[in-house]
Amino acid sequence: MDFELTKEQRDIAKAAKEFAEGEFTDKAEAFDRDETFDEAIFKKAAELGFVGIFIEEQYGGAGLGTVEQCILQEEFAAVDLGMAVAVLTPCFGSEIIQAFGTEEQKATYLPSLAKGEAIMGSAFTEPDAGSDLAAASTTAVQEGDEFVINGSKIFITNGTRADYLICFVQTDPDNADKHQRHSMIIVETNREGFEANRLRGKLGIRASDTAEISFNNVRVPCSNLVGEPGNGFTEAMYLFNLNRIGVAAQGVGLARAALEESINHVKKRIAFGAPLATYQAVQLKVADMFTWMHAGKNMVYEAAWRIDQGKVDHTLVAAAKAFCGQMAVRCTDIALQLHGGYGFLAEYKVQRLYRDAKIIEIYEGTTDIEKLIVARSLLA
Ligand SMILES: Cc1cc2nc3c(=O)[nH]c(=O)nc-3n(C[C@H](O)[C@H](O)[C@H](O)COP(=O)(O)OP(=O)(O)OC[C@H]3O[C@@H](n4cnc5c(N)ncnc54)[C@H](O)[C@@H]3O)c2cc1C
């Protein structure tokens, strides 16, 4: 058993850390406050090869694996999660095109994503269907050689930025098996009848674009269907396994940053005539944070490594996502507490870490849903 990253992986981690510290640090507080982002940072990240690293080389990507993707997620999130999401999600959903798309779809969509020339997103969640994905009711009805799409989606990352979205839509609503009613269809966002509105006032990851979108008789060619008709649920689960582990890696990054901020603070802050770090009650908190962060990290990289070996363990992925979400929330809470009143201020990074951590428990499947996946697998 070898727990060391390869030289290439260590180089990726170092480059990602340097990029995020150089590009994110000075801007993160303002982007969080103003709910904005500078697309030039995304373009620069793409030029340096941080975007779409999992896209195969023949389509312009680096053809790297889930471990490398997790390294980027961890390193970027350790500096700022909102900006990490803005930089790393523009290929969100291209995994489905790569795994299930036709050769023509791959050649059409993947190269511009890998170069950072196009932005996409994945639209699953609806106002009345989140955790219960199979209840999604946006319809795509075939008329000749087109699909006509009607319905709405909510909380869609990159909804107002994207050039196109891969959308989870009902194509066979009467199928007796609710897991065979949906398909994945690409919708270009300049199609007539498509509308997206940015959602403002998020608790955290405020540099990231989150939108509600609607489809009003949006027409797309049938050739925009990705994979087999009725296979949308299976394709969604494929995507979730890959992305959930990336979100868990974000939780590791947040917890690691919370630990680093805490160590710096308690060594310097004097209370009752001595640095906070000299009090055992404080030391126990630091030890807990390290232990939980490291446990989460090991789960993440084992699950990611298994995916890259072609041995996807969806139980371990779900367990890692559930654990890292809770762990990030606990570690950032402790970090803020250790900072006292200063932690309550926006100018201290721990405030942002604390607010950002909660999203790890929500998107790509809530902590409850991940635990239900683990339990179902164990009790089956
Ligand atoms: C910032 C942000 C970005 C997002 N990006 C995207 C995106 O790009 N694309 C996309 O499609 N979606 C996206 N989402 C949506 C996200 O995946 C959903 O919010 C999430 O899956 C939960 O769905 P919901 O909000 O409808 O909550 P609900 O499903 O209504 O759940 C509410 C609560 O009930 C619990 N619950 C539900 N069912 C059960 C059960 N059977 N047993 C026990 N507890 C249960 C849940 O755990 C949760 O705590 C995003 C969300 C946010 C906030």
Side-chain angles (χ1 to χ4, degrees), residues 92 122 124-125 130-131 155-157 359 362-364 366 368 372:
F92 179 31
S122 296
F124 297 95
T125 309
S131 304
F155 304 130
I156 305 310
T157 301
I359 195 60
I362 297 173
Y363 61 10
E364 291 286 325
T366 65
D368 299 320
L372 291 176

Side-chain angles (χ1 to χ4, degrees), residues 4-11 68:
E4 292 297 337
L5 296 178
T6 64
K7 164 132 188 3
E8 186 186 19
Q9 290 165 342
R10 288 199 302 277
D11 288 345
E68 289 80 12

Side-chain angles (χ1 to χ4, degrees), residues 123 149 151-153 156 158-167 186-197 211-220:
I149 304 176
S152 59
K153 301 275 178 185
I156 305 310
N158 302 331
T160 69
R161 278 173 99 198
D163 299 288
Y164 44 88
L165 298 168
I166 189 157
C167 302
I186 295 170
V187 177
E188 293 84 357
T189 56
N190 59 4
R191 297 258 174 207
E192 207 180 321
F194 176 88
E195 197 181 318
N197 291 301
E212 55 185 343
I213 62 176
S214 61
F215 308 89
N216 186 5
N217 287 321
V218 176
R219 289 180 172 270
V220 299

Side-chain angles (χ1 to χ4, degrees), residues 101-119:
T102 61
E103 204 45 57
E104 194 183 340
Q105 286 169 336
K106 292 181 202 180
T108 303
Y109 295 106
L110 299 180
S112 55
L113 290 169
K115 283 194 217 128
E117 291 169 357
I119 290 179

